[in-house]
């Protein structure tokens, strides 16, 4: 918008008013004669129901001027393009190249236009055969979509469960005090001394381990990719770290990783006898009762994919009765014994875990961080992407509260 018109609209907006008759006249007189449409729209707004003195009319006039300027820019670009094409044709004629008339509905939509055998950039596309490389197809690159399809994100079935204790801390490590035992009170006679009780403590120590991922990409790829390559790389790194942490929370060995729930000593192992190749609801009911006996409250069932299938397909009478989980016309069961059933490929095969999640603890030193460096590969014009996550161990304060049921291999 011209500076003098901008002053008019700024003053009216500051005073929260419309435009005076003098200001409307100044606006109309500033519009070129060929912009008749803009003049008509402004007069229609001034003579409309709101009148010239309303802020709504002022805003309407401002929008009209904005679109008028946009149309003027487009017109200038079209004129410049036609001038360039005319210059190309003139050069072609000077070089002795013949020119041919374009039939009605030609490449530029104008009948009677002329096209040189040395075409302009605007006309070249109409001369190539996209499917024939030798006829110009090499000049038409393959199209790459501006979106990408990523692998399925593996949702964390461990941290999804409410009740798990996530402890955030500072420093190299931290210790969570744990009451391991206390004396049992007894009956005390009247007037007798009350025996002093004792409490024994231990500590659950959390030492952080770092999960990290690193990718690098040339700056040409980052600049020229049809989709946002940076978001793709960052998303892949975060997803990969989350999947690995989820896997280690179930089956980590504790050596350069977390100690998973299936590691010896983390929970109570229940190894089924030979011939019990699948975990059944009877085994889960037993585990439910054992957790209750330890003073805990079962709240989740984690299952490997093969055992999740077996539980959902278990029948009342072996292979002939109805499904315990419901009819096939019902939604697939997501709960059993009132507990959610969460299936994860991160559990070892033939494994079901029944647990009280409030007895499980995990320490977090720092959340996932994504950093970008353009100096990492400075001599090769590369950009590096790094993701890190420091998580500090997994601990169970009562092994009986986590029942790890393992079916027999045969």
């Amino acid at each position: 918008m011209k500076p003098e018109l901008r002053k008019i609209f700024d003053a009216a907006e500051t005073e929260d008013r419309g435009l005076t008759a003098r200001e409307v006249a100044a606006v109309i007189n500033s519009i070129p004669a060929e912009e008749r449409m803009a003049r008509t729209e402004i007069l229609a707004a001034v003579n409309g129901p709101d009148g010239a003195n309303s802020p709504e009319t002022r805003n309407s006039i401002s929008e009209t001027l904005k679109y008028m300027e946009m149309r003027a820019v487009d017109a200038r670009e079209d004129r410049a393009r036609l001038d360039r094409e005319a210059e190309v044709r003139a050069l072609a004629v000077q070089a002795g190249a013949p020119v041919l008339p374009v039939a009605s509905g030609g490449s530029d939509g104008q009948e009677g236009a002329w096209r040189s055998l040395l075409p302009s950039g605007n006309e070249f596309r109409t001369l190539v055969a996209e499917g024939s490389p030798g006829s110009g197809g090499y000049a038409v690159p393959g199209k790459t979509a501006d979106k990408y399809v990523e692998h399925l994100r593996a949702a964390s079935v461990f941290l999804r469960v409410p009740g798990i204790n996530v402890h955030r801390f500072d420093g190299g490590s931290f210790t969570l005090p744990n009451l391991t035992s206390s004396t049992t009170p007894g009956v005390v006679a009247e007037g007798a001394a009350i025996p002093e009780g004792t409490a024994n403590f231990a500590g659950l120590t959390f030492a952080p381990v770092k999960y990290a991922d690193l990718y690098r990409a040339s700056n040409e790829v980052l600049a020229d990719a049809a989709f946002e390559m940076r978001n793709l790389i960052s998303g892949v790194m975060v997803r990969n770290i989350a999947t690995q942490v989820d896997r280690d929370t179930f089956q980590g060995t504790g050596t350069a990783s977390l100690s998973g729930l299936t590691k010896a000593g983390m929970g109570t192992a229940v190894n089924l006898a030979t011939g019990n190749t699948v975990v059944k609801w009877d085994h889960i009911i037993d585990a439910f009762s054992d957790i209750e006996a330890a003073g805990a409250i079962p709240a989740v069932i984690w299952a490997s994919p093969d055992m999740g299938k077996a539980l959902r397909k278990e029948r009342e009478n072996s292979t002939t009765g109805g499904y315990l989980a419901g009819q096939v016309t019902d939604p697939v069961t997501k709960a059993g014994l009132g507990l959610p059933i969460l299936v994860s490929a991160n559990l070892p095969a033939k494994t079901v875990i029944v647990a009280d999640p409030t007895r499980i603890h995990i320490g977090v030193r720092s959340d996932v961080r994504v950093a970008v460096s353009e100096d990492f590969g400075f001599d090769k014009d590369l950009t590096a992407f790094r993701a890190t996550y420091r998580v500090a161990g997994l601990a169970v304060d009562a092994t009986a509260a986590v029942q790890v049921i393992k079916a027999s291999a045969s």
Side-chain angles (χ1 to χ4, degrees), residues 180-200:
T180 57
S181 64
S182 61
T183 53
T184 303
V187 176
V188 179
E190 181 180 356
I194 301 175
E196 181 181 353
T198 58
N200 298 314

Side-chain angles (χ1 to χ4, degrees), residues 52-407:
N53 295 325
S54 68
E56 291 78 13
T57 300
R58 180 197 68 219
N59 294 335
S60 176
I61 295 175
S62 177
E63 287 295 310
T64 298
L65 291 177
K66 181 176 71 174
Y67 287 115
M68 182 195 73
E69 292 176 352
M70 292 172 61
R71 290 194 297 268
V73 171
D74 292 340
R76 287 195 297 270
E77 292 178 350
D78 289 340
R79 287 194 297 269
R81 176 179 58 81
L82 293 174
D83 290 342
R84 290 193 299 270
E85 292 183 3
E87 183 179 1
V88 171
R89 295 188 185 96
L91 291 173
V93 171
Q94 292 177 10
V99 293
L100 300 175
V102 178
S104 177
S107 62
D108 55 8
Q110 296 181 0
E111 185 175 0
W114 290 83
R115 182 175 67 201
S116 169
L117 290 183
L118 178 62
S120 69
N122 185 56
E123 296 166 331
F124 183 77
R125 182 60 195 272
T126 65
L127 302 178
V128 302
E130 198 170 316
S132 303
S135 300
Y138 285 121
V140 183
K143 177 67 175 175
T144 299
D146 60 358
K147 298 180 180 179
Y148 58 86
V149 178
E150 191 185 354
H151 297 295
L152 290 175
R153 289 181 178 270
S156 173
V157 297
F158 179 79
L159 293 176
R160 189 194 311 174
V161 178
I164 292 179
N165 299 283
V166 178
H167 304 281
R168 298 184 179 274
F169 67 97
D170 297 323
S173 63
F174 86 108
T175 300
L176 183 67
N178 182 26
L179 178 64
T180 57
S181 64
S182 61
T183 53
T184 303
V187 176
V188 179
E190 181 180 356
I194 301 175
E196 181 181 353
T198 58
N200 298 314
F201 287 89
L204 300 176
T205 301
F206 294 81
V209 294
K210 179 171 67 178
Y211 291 83
D213 206 5
L214 178 71
Y215 282 79
R216 57 185 176 182
S218 71
N219 287 326
E220 288 86 352
V221 169
L222 296 177
D224 300 340
F227 54 86
E228 185 50 64
M229 183 69 74
R230 293 171 180 267
N231 288 344
L232 172 63
I233 295 174
S234 301
V236 167
M237 291 192 302
V238 172
R239 180 206 66 199
N240 290 348
I241 288 179
T243 301
Q244 185 60 45
V245 171
D246 201 53
R247 182 179 297 114
D248 287 350
T249 55
F250 287 117
Q251 52 180 314
T253 63
T255 303
S257 70
L258 298 174
S259 294
L261 294 180
T262 58
K263 181 186 175 183
M266 292 292 288
T268 300
V270 180
N271 297 311
L272 302 184
T274 302
N276 295 287
T277 57
V278 296
V279 177
K280 296 183 176 294
W281 284 109
D282 285 348
H283 305 129
I284 293 179
I285 292 173
D286 290 342
F288 194 106
S289 299
D290 290 339
I291 293 174
E292 287 182 318
I297 303 174
V300 64
I301 299 173
W302 285 300
S304 59
D306 53 349
M307 294 299 97
K309 293 177 183 178
L311 289 173
R312 286 167 171 165
K313 293 190 295 184
E314 190 171 347
R315 295 173 179 263
E316 294 174 351
N317 298 310
S318 185
T319 60
T320 59
Y323 291 105
L324 291 177
Q327 301 301 315
V328 294
T329 54
D330 297 332
V332 175
T333 182
K334 296 183 179 180
L337 303 178
L339 311 183
I341 302 173
L342 301 180
V343 178
S344 173
N346 291 327
L347 269 78
K350 293 184 174 294
T351 303
V352 173
I353 300 177
V354 185
D356 178 355
T358 64
R359 313 306 292 270
I360 301 173
H361 305 262
I362 185 170
V364 174
R365 179 63 181 83
S366 64
D367 290 320
V368 177
R369 295 179 179 176
V370 177
V372 181
S373 173
E374 296 182 353
D375 300 324
F376 175 81
F378 185 79
D379 59 332
K380 298 179 181 178
D381 195 24
L382 301 174
T383 296
F385 299 83
R386 183 188 68 203
T388 57
Y389 183 43
R390 295 187 71 195
V391 57
L394 190 70
V396 178
D397 62 31
T399 56
V402 178
Q403 297 285 316
V404 183
I405 310 172
K406 183 76 173 180

Side-chain angles (χ1 to χ4, degrees), residues 28-40:
I28 294 177
N29 291 333
S30 69
I31 299 174
E34 60 269 18
E35 290 290 343
R36 296 185 180 88
M37 182 182 300
R39 289 171 175 261
T40 302

Side-chain angles (χ1 to χ4, degrees), residues 1-2 4-6 8-9 19-47 52 57 60-62 64-65 68:
M1 188 180 294
K2 297 179 181 179
E4 58 272 17
L5 297 183
R6 172 52 58 195
I8 292 175
F9 281 94
L19 302 179
T20 65
R22 184 186 298 270
E23 290 170 337
V24 171
V27 170
I28 294 177
N29 291 333
S30 69
I31 299 174
E34 60 269 18
E35 290 290 343
R36 296 185 180 88
M37 182 182 300
R39 289 171 175 261
T40 302
E41 291 176 355
I42 291 175
L43 289 174
V46 170
N47 296 324
T57 300
S60 176
I61 295 175
S62 177
T64 298
L65 291 177
M68 182 195 73

